[in-house]
Amino acid sequence: MQDGRKGRLHPAVGFARNEVAEALNSVLGDNTVAASGKKAPRPDSEQEKKLVLVGCSGGPDSLALAAISAHFARRGSIAVGAVIVDHQMQENSAEVARQAAQQCADLGLSPILIKTVEVEHASEGPEMAARTARYGAFREAVDQTSAAVLLLAHTLDDQAETVLLGLARGSGTKSLSGMPRVRNIDSLTLVRPLLNVRRSQIQQICEAEGLEPWNDPTNFDQSLMRAKVRHSILPYLEDNLGGDVAVSLARTAAIIGPDADYIDEQAHQKLQDISLNLEQVGGVENLRLQQPLQDHQRVRVLNRAALSSLHPALLQRVLSLAVKAVGGQNPSFERLTALTAFAAEHSIGGPVQLAGHVSVYRRRPGIRISTPTGEFDLKQTGILVFIENK
């Protein structure tokens, strides 16, 4: 363990500590923790210490993060615990989870929670299904312990793989921006403090800290796309393009991320600006739907003329947000293109069916309205109606 070391601190450990300190201070408040070589702040009482949980699988990345985070707990700045998720997808998963919990305990982390989940395989695929189950367990652990944040151990190399996979899918800026350093999902605050740390540095941290990580065999199974990108595609690009492709891909995410966040914020605001309530359009009967609207069905009405005036970069995002606002799924490129073309027409039409049981209609109620975005004769300009069909 580097705290009881003889000689100087390993550079990889020092770099990772600085990265974790910076990330924690960005979400917990300035000077909550101090990096190596600086005076560490101490709360007046144990009750005032903020609890940080580390998502730990026992693999090299998460175990290294647990060791780095334990440094700040030893300095008395924060309390650090761990949550280990047993996905039950491998024969020895319970033993792997137990060993991960023991290693976290050996590092001094407390509390340590093991969450066993059922992974429900659906059309989204096994990796996404496991992720959904894992994040549910994370939220449960945070609620149970009142932890301030949960740390995840994704590295620069993970970020590069994510961007490359997004490029391969033909995704937009949100996907190409990769994994955010900080993400809030309801009551869950996720922080990825190691996004500037290389996988090679993780290996050095494990050696310097005397850690014995578990290596997940699925990380080497190239029938899985991420493993194929890691072991075949990225090395090929490195050999043939020259330079450090992983760093360039991660830099791309860092550049695009703030842009994507800003456009998303604008799209959310525009959705509110151009949304109409049922009273403004003369009630449900003016929608002239094929079936009566039920009490449980969600509905979103958009001013079609105001929508059409938006910049294309915002228009498609607003349409996607409207679909999700009534319980639908994020539209594919093809379905979103079709919906954009449908929204451009004036006449009565529809329904257009979208994934997640959402129907979209064009309607022209005989109503004139006044909104902050202007005066509209809806009989001439029309509306778009998004309806949940569950």
Side-chain angles (χ1 to χ4, degrees):
M1 187 178 297
Q2 287 281 282
D3 271 38
R5 68 190 184 280
K6 293 182 179 179
R8 75 184 191 69
L9 182 70
H10 193 287
V13 175
F15 178 69
R17 286 182 182 177
N18 288 334
E19 291 292 302
V20 172
E22 180 181 333
L24 287 175
N25 286 330
S26 72
V27 293
L28 300 180
D30 292 342
N31 301 316
T32 298
V33 300
S36 299
K38 299 180 181 179
K39 185 176 180 181
R42 282 179 173 267
D44 293 334
S45 67
E46 288 295 316
Q47 288 73 24
E48 292 182 9
K49 285 184 182 179
K50 294 177 180 177
L51 174 63
V52 172
L53 291 181
V54 177
C56 186
S57 66
D61 300 349
S62 62
L63 201 56
L65 178 59
I68 295 298
S69 303
H71 163 75
F72 300 105
R74 289 192 295 271
R75 301 186 89 187
S77 305
I78 55 174
V80 180
V83 54
I84 295 99
V85 180
D86 176 7
H87 298 85
Q88 303 186 90
M89 296 177 69
Q90 297 179 15
E91 187 175 345
N92 64 336
S93 64
E95 177 60 21
V96 169
R98 189 198 65 77
Q99 290 178 0
Q102 184 59 56
Q103 291 192 81
C104 288
D106 293 342
L107 289 168
L109 273 57
S110 179
I112 297 171
L113 296 83
I114 296 179
K115 296 289 183 181
T116 302
V117 298
E118 297 285 344
V119 177
E120 298 180 4
H121 295 283
S123 58
E124 58 189 358
E127 290 178 272
M128 183 58 70
R131 180 183 182 276
T132 299
R134 181 165 60 254
Y135 277 54
F138 287 159
R139 181 178 289 105
E140 186 179 285
V142 166
D143 291 343
Q144 182 178 338
T145 60
S146 299
V149 299
L150 188 137
L151 303 184
L152 299 177
H154 297 104
T155 65
L156 182 148
D157 299 87
D158 294 316
Q159 184 75 296
E161 292 160 10
T162 299
V163 174
L164 191 56
L165 286 166
L167 280 169
R169 289 192 297 265
S171 302
T173 54
K174 195 64 179 176
S175 180
L176 298 183
S177 63
M179 298 174 285
R181 190 175 178 88
V182 179
R183 185 183 180 193
N184 294 303
I185 310 174
D186 300 325
S187 60
L188 182 62
T189 299
L190 299 174
V191 181
R192 298 178 174 91
L194 303 183
L195 288 179
N196 291 324
V197 178
R198 299 301 305 265
R199 196 168 286 136
S200 58
Q201 291 174 299
I202 292 293
Q203 302 283 347
Q204 295 168 6
I205 292 170
C206 289
E207 293 173 6
E209 296 283 346
L211 305 173
E212 296 182 5
W214 167 72
N215 288 297
D216 186 346
T218 63
N219 288 334
F220 303 92
D221 180 3
Q222 294 196 46
S223 66
L224 301 174
M225 185 52 67
R226 183 173 286 273
K228 190 170 186 177
V229 166
R230 179 176 303 179
H231 298 291
S232 294
I233 298 174
L234 263 176
Y236 176 84
L237 293 176
E238 298 277 0
D239 290 342
N240 289 275
L241 292 180
D244 198 327
V245 174
V247 170
S248 297
L249 289 168
R251 186 183 299 125
T252 297
I255 294 169
I256 292 178
D259 295 351
D261 289 342
Y262 176 76
I263 296 174
D264 281 348
E265 288 174 9
Q266 294 298 307
H268 277 90
Q269 183 59 55
K270 291 298 182 184
L271 177 62
Q272 298 305 314
D273 292 345
I274 69 174
S275 291
L276 305 173
N277 59 47
L278 292 178
E279 183 179 337
Q280 286 176 295
V281 298
V284 175
E285 58 275 11
N286 252 0
L287 301 181
R288 297 183 179 88
L289 302 175
Q290 293 178 343
Q291 295 180 344
L293 189 65
Q294 303 299 315
D295 291 340
H296 69 279
Q297 287 180 286
R298 286 177 280 187
V299 60
R300 180 62 70 110
V301 179
L302 302 187
N303 183 337
R304 201 205 61 81
L307 173 73
S308 298
S309 69
L310 297 178
H311 188 282
L314 289 173
L315 190 150
Q316 291 201 334
R317 283 174 170 81
V318 168
L319 288 172
S320 294
L321 290 173
V323 171
K324 290 186 283 188
V326 295
Q329 298 173 13
N330 199 38
S332 67
F333 174 79
E334 291 77 15
R335 296 309 297 160
L336 185 56
T337 300
L339 180 58
T340 304
F342 177 76
E345 298 293 329
H346 289 258
S347 61
I348 291 174
V352 171
Q353 304 294 348
L354 295 161
H357 305 286
V358 172
S359 296
V360 184
Y361 298 82
R362 281 195 313 258
R363 292 294 183 260
R364 295 168 63 183
I367 301 288
R368 293 187 67 88
I369 61 170
S370 177
T371 74
T373 57
E375 300 278 341
F376 299 93
D377 181 351
L378 297 182
K379 186 175 182 179
Q380 298 298 320
T381 59
I383 58 176
L384 284 183
V385 185
F386 295 73
I387 298 178
E388 177 186 34
N389 288 329
K390 294 180 181 178

